[in-house]
Amino acid sequence: MSMPDELLVDVATMVESGQSNQMSLTVVTGGAVITGRLAPEAVWRERVSEVLAESSRLREFAKTFTAAGRREGPPTHLHFHVARILQGMVGIPETGGMYRVSIADVTAWTMGDFSYSDH
């Protein structure tokens, strides 16, 4: 198991404490490049729950994502929303997705989101 980057943990802690969804970040994890905005875990869980609740096929999973109480200790995951996986010059999905990434699995990162082309 890798050691989480302390600076990245500090960034995640600031996002969690400030309830902000404006911090843009790009990470490399498992060979994938994910770029987008970070959200506090509770906000991310609430949005995932809303999306699932609107689906007739996935509605039953919504309750799994209802906001849980804040865990003790530093954050262990990054919660992306309005995020894309970069594939060459294209970002997928076009509308942005919601991703949860283990901080311990991040091998590289930079502040800001990379630009991409939908064409």
Side-chain angles (χ1 to χ4, degrees), residues 26-42:
T26 299
V27 300
V28 177
T29 180
V33 177
I34 300 173
T35 189
R37 289 195 314 232
L38 294 177
E41 182 176 3

Side-chain angles (χ1 to χ4, degrees), residues 25-26 36 44 50 62 72 75 81 86 88 96 100 107-108 110 112 116 118:
L25 192 73
T26 299
W44 182 86
E50 289 169 359
E72 292 298 318
H81 71 118
L86 298 183
R100 176 178 162 109
T107 56
T110 187
Y116 59 91
D118 290 330

Side-chain angles (χ1 to χ4, degrees), residues 48-49 51-63:
V48 171
S49 179
V51 170
L52 292 171
E54 293 172 3
S55 169
S56 60
R57 293 180 301 132
L58 302 173
R59 183 174 295 131
E60 66 222 34
F61 292 98
K63 63 183 172 228

